[in-house]
């Protein structure tokens, strides 16, 4: 449990943030320069705040008024940066063991083999960091942080420098760490899809201040304040991994109003996942579309149309719950799905 209430005055920039974490991952989200990394730096002990405190499980890591400042290496916090910052002269194995060196004696130790296995880096142990790809370096960086037996993990845009394929490989690892190791995490990102997929709470920062704290839907969905950048709007959906279609390389994500098929493999079946649907990726049609490439079609109703005098409007739309999908959570035969969708579209 982390509690943060700090201020920092850098003359050209003032930081003033307060939040606590709950279950799972807390995301710090906001545009470049809004104070995300400064906030992580204060939590990690890399920066001293001018006022306030950071508490971890009730223990003050820094408390300006009480004159408390725990040095970074004593905080039991693992940090993963955008660049994994591995020691170039040490092998992967030595880098990983270096993290473990910080685990206090008697601390419940995470097994080296278990961490290496989870992160898929068994074959890399004797390599030097210079001979790793960006994605591999990041896996090792995460492993090093994990093996220090942290009470809190901090991620500062860990995927920002990776291409989409590598991102899609690393995100499930972060989900596994979240679900299997139960270590609280604060995850900094300005990518909506990462935040929706990983986080249960979002702290939205703007100009060094907390603008909003809420679920991903509250932060990015239809209820997000109108002055928000509309291109950031997205819906956070909860789904369950379903079947795979090996012919087209798709995976079904079961969601009550209808299954959503995504490219690639998502495993294992039955696992709960969060997905983001960007508003700018949605196409509206008044009838079942024909001759178009979108593979996912959901029936629904327009709720609101927000116009601000500009050339575009923001439309909120609610997908209808399909009876067939709700009964057993599985997508029934395609014919039934199609007829229900048609029925919904033609209803007033
Ligand atoms: P981001 O949200 O992109 O991670 P940062 O937390 O790194 O943003 O930085 C927030 C603001 O603080 C930026 O305007 C940055 O220029 C400023 N800043 C960061 N470090 C310093 C510093 N050491 N001295 C003065 N200003 C700084
Ligand atoms: Mg930053």
């Amino acid at each position: 449990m982390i509690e943060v209430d700090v201020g920092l005055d850098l003359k050209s920039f003032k930081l003033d943030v307060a939040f606590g974490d709950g279950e799972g991952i807390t995301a710090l989200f906001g545009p470049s320069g809004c104070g995300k990394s400064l906030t992580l730096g204060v939590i990690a002990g890399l920066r001293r705040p001018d006022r306030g405190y950071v508490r971890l499980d009730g223990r003050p890591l820094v408390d300006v008024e009480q004159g408390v400042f725990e040095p970074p290496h004593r905080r039991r916090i693992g940090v993963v940066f955008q660049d994994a910052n591995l020691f170039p002269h040490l092998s992967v194995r030595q880098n990983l063991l270096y993290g473990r060196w910080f685990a206090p004696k008697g601390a419940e130790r995470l097994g080296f083999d278990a961490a290496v296995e989870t992160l898929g880096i068994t074959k890399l142990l004797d390599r030097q960091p210079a001979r790793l790809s960006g994605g591999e370096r990041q896996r090792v960086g995460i492993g090093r942080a994990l093996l220090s037996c942290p009470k809190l993990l901090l991620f500062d845009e860990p995927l920002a420098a990776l291409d989409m394929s590598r991102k899609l490989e690393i995100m499930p690892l972060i989900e596994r760490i979240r679900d299997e190791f139960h270590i609280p995490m604060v995850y900094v990102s300005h990518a909506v899809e990462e935040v929706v997929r990983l986080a249960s709470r979002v702290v939205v920062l703007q100009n060094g201040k907390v603008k909003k704290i809420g679920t991903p839907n509250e932060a990015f969905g239809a209820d997000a304040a109108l002055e928000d950048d509309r291109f950031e709007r997205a819906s956070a959906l909860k789904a369950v991994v379903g079947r795979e279609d090996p012919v087209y390389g798709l995976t079904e994500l079961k969601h009550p109003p209808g299954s959503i098929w995504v490219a690639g493999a998502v495993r294992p079946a039955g696992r709960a996942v969060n997905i983001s649907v960007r508003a700018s990726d949605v196409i509206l049609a008044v009838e079942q579309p024909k001759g178009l490439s979108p593979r996912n079609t959901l029936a629904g109703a327009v709720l609101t149309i927000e116009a601000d005098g500009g050339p575009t409007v923001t439309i909120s739309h609610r997908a209808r719950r399909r009876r067939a999908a709700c009964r057993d959570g599985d997508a029934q035969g395609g014919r039934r799905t199609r007829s229900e969708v048609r029925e919904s579209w033609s209803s007033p």
Side-chain angles (χ1 to χ4, degrees):
M1 170 75 186
I2 176 108
E3 298 160 84
V4 177
D5 187 348
V6 291
L8 181 61
D9 190 348
L10 291 173
K11 306 292 177 259
S12 61
F13 186 83
K14 286 191 185 4
L15 184 77
D16 189 5
V17 294
F19 63 91
D21 68 351
E23 286 282 292
I25 298 182
T26 298
L28 292 185
F29 175 86
S32 201
C34 70
K36 305 182 295 295
S37 295
L38 282 179
T39 306
L40 278 202
V42 170
I43 297 173
L46 306 173
R47 285 183 174 278
R48 282 173 185 262
D50 296 316
R51 67 145 201 92
Y53 59 82
V54 177
R55 297 187 192 123
L56 184 57
D57 297 331
R59 177 173 63 102
L61 301 179
V62 59
D63 190 322
V64 176
E65 284 72 25
Q66 292 182 17
V68 175
F69 183 84
E70 280 253 36
H73 64 276
R74 294 238 302 269
R75 293 193 176 196
R76 308 272 318 267
I77 292 178
V79 191
V80 180
F81 295 101
Q82 182 174 326
D83 179 331
N85 289 341
L86 302 179
F87 294 113
H89 57 293
L90 299 181
S91 68
V92 165
R93 185 191 307 275
Q94 289 165 326
N95 267 285
L96 291 168
L97 290 171
Y98 179 85
R100 178 162 256 207
W101 194 70
F102 286 99
K105 284 198 185 68
E108 192 188 320
R109 289 193 161 211
L110 176 69
F112 184 85
D113 294 342
V116 166
E117 170 95 41
T118 301
L119 293 163
I121 51 178
T122 312
K123 292 205 176 99
L124 309 176
L125 289 175
D126 295 319
R127 290 236 198 124
Q128 297 297 118
R131 292 185 47 233
L132 299 176
S133 69
E136 289 168 343
R137 268 202 298 277
Q138 218 39 323
R139 286 167 190 251
V140 177
I142 294 171
R144 187 175 62 179
L146 257 185
L147 285 165
S148 67
C149 296
K151 290 199 176 297
L152 177 70
L153 273 174
L154 304 178
F155 288 87
D156 194 348
E157 313 228 23
L159 308 181
L162 302 180
D163 58 45
M164 186 48 88
S165 307
R166 298 296 88 71
K167 283 183 193 176
L168 291 175
E169 282 172 17
I170 306 255
M171 266 196 270
L173 297 179
I174 298 175
E175 285 175 320
R176 272 188 77 178
I177 293 168
R178 176 193 67 190
D179 299 340
E180 291 175 19
F181 298 109
H182 302 290
I183 302 167
M185 301 189 208
V186 179
Y187 187 96
V188 160
S189 178
H190 65 266
V192 175
E193 52 278 9
E194 282 172 38
V195 170
V196 167
R197 180 157 170 186
L198 298 172
S200 39
R201 273 156 42 87
V202 188
V203 179
V204 182
L205 295 186
Q206 190 176 46
N207 272 331
K209 299 213 160 32
V210 174
K211 189 175 172 207
K212 184 163 195 152
I213 299 182
T215 63
N217 254 334
E218 286 162 349
F220 307 120
D223 297 333
L226 191 62
E227 74 270 17
D228 285 3
D229 181 355
R230 63 160 56 101
F231 297 108
E232 293 286 300
R233 297 266 182 110
S235 295
L237 310 178
K238 286 192 189 308
V240 174
V241 178
R243 291 171 294 158
E244 284 183 27
D245 178 337
V247 177
Y248 291 104
L250 303 174
T251 304
E252 177 194 26
L253 301 180
K254 294 188 283 188
H255 166 62
S259 284
I260 293 177
W261 289 86
V262 295
V266 185
R267 290 175 188 149
R271 183 165 72 91
V273 288
N274 299 323
I275 42 181
S276 65
V277 180
R278 276 183 180 270
S280 53
D281 287 343
V282 176
I283 297 169
L284 294 183
V286 292
E287 57 189 34
Q288 181 73 4
K290 279 198 207 111
L292 291 175
S293 66
R295 68 175 90 91
N296 296 303
T297 322
L298 298 178
V302 169
L303 294 179
T304 59
I305 301 178
E306 298 164 22
D308 60 5
T312 57
V313 296
T314 301
I315 298 176
S316 340
H317 169 272
R318 172 162 296 146
R320 291 229 176 99
R321 189 172 279 258
R322 262 202 346 252
R323 266 163 288 139
C326 303
R327 195 159 51 227
D328 59 7
D330 195 4
Q332 303 282 309
R335 206 181 311 143
R336 175 183 223 144
T337 306
R338 274 202 299 278
S339 73
E340 288 202 6
V341 168
R342 231 186 344 251
E343 203 176 277
S344 308
W345 279 117
S346 59
S347 63

